[in-house]
Amino acid sequence: EKLPGMDFSQGILHEVLDCVKKLAEAGQVVSLRVEGPFTILAMLMDLTTISRCYLQHPLVLQKALQKITDYQTEYIRRGILQGAAVISYADPSGIPQYIGPGFYRNLCGSYTHRLMMQVEPFLQSAVVHICGRTSLALQQAGFCSAVPAGQWEIPYGEAVCRAAAD
C-alpha cells in the first residue's frame, strides 16, 4: 500500500519507452515485453511466502497484485502511445502447475484477466501476444476461450507482426 507510483520520466522505464518510440519512428514493428503481476511479485518474494501471505492476509496480497496490475496497465498504455505494436505478455511464475488450480483461479488468472480488460481500450493500434503457457492456463481456468486460426504459411512471429500492422 505504501509503494510509490511508478516514475516513467526517468530510469529504466523511461529508457525502454524512449527506445520503443525511436524504433517505431524508424519504421520497426516494436514488441514491448511485459511480465505478469504474479511473476513480478514472485521476483520480490518466494512462492511459499506468497502462499502464506494469501492464507493469513489475503487482502494485503490482493492490494499488492492490484497495484502491480495498475502499474502494468499504465506501462502498456505508454508503450502503445510510444509506438509499440505488439505487447508480449507472460506470467510464467503464476501457472497452475506451480501454484495449484485454485490459487491460480483466485489470484494469478484473475489478475491477468483484469490486466487484459484494463488494457483493452488501448489496443486499437496494438495486439497482445500471450505466451503459450499463460494462455493455456487462462483458457483452462475459464477466463478465455481459444479460437483456432488455422495453419500459417509464415513463421509465428511474422504472423503476429502482420496482425499488428492490420
Side-chain angles (χ1 to χ4, degrees):
E1 292 179 4
K2 295 177 184 174
L3 285 174
M6 298 300 291
D7 184 359
F8 295 99
S9 67
Q10 61 182 355
I12 194 160
L13 295 176
H14 174 74
E15 294 298 322
V16 169
L17 294 171
D18 190 46
C19 288
V20 167
K21 182 178 181 178
K22 288 176 182 175
L23 289 168
E25 287 174 348
Q28 300 293 313
V29 176
V30 182
S31 176
L32 179 65
R33 181 178 172 180
V34 179
E35 296 293 335
F38 196 81
T39 296
I40 291 173
L41 191 62
M43 289 178 198
L44 301 172
M45 62 181 77
D46 64 79
L47 293 177
T48 304
T49 304
I50 294 170
S51 299
R52 197 173 302 127
C53 181
Y54 180 65
L55 294 172
Q56 296 172 354
H57 309 285
L59 290 178
V60 171
L61 188 58
Q62 290 168 357
K63 286 179 182 179
L65 285 168
Q66 186 59 54
K67 193 159 212 167
I68 293 168
T69 301
D70 292 343
Y71 292 156
Q72 290 172 309
T73 299
E74 183 60 17
Y75 181 55
I76 290 169
R77 185 188 76 78
R78 287 174 183 251
I80 292 169
L81 288 174
Q82 296 291 53
V86 178
I87 304 302
S88 181
Y89 178 84
D91 202 358
S93 296
I95 58 173
Q97 293 87 338
Y98 295 158
I99 60 172
F103 195 64
Y104 175 81
R105 201 173 303 105
N106 292 332
L107 282 181
C108 305
S110 173
Y111 282 91
T112 287
H113 183 257
R114 286 180 193 193
L115 177 62
M116 292 301 124
M117 294 298 102
Q118 286 178 199
V119 300
E120 186 177 19
F122 312 122
L123 296 177
Q124 291 84 13
S125 60
V127 296
V128 176
H129 162 265
I130 301 176
C131 88
R133 283 185 165 183
T134 302
S135 62
L136 182 61
L138 286 167
Q139 183 182 354
Q140 290 174 338
F143 289 106
C144 66
S145 59
V147 178
Q151 292 185 328
W152 294 86
E153 301 289 325
I154 57 176
Y156 180 74
E158 189 176 330
V160 171
C161 289
R162 283 188 188 178
D166 289 346

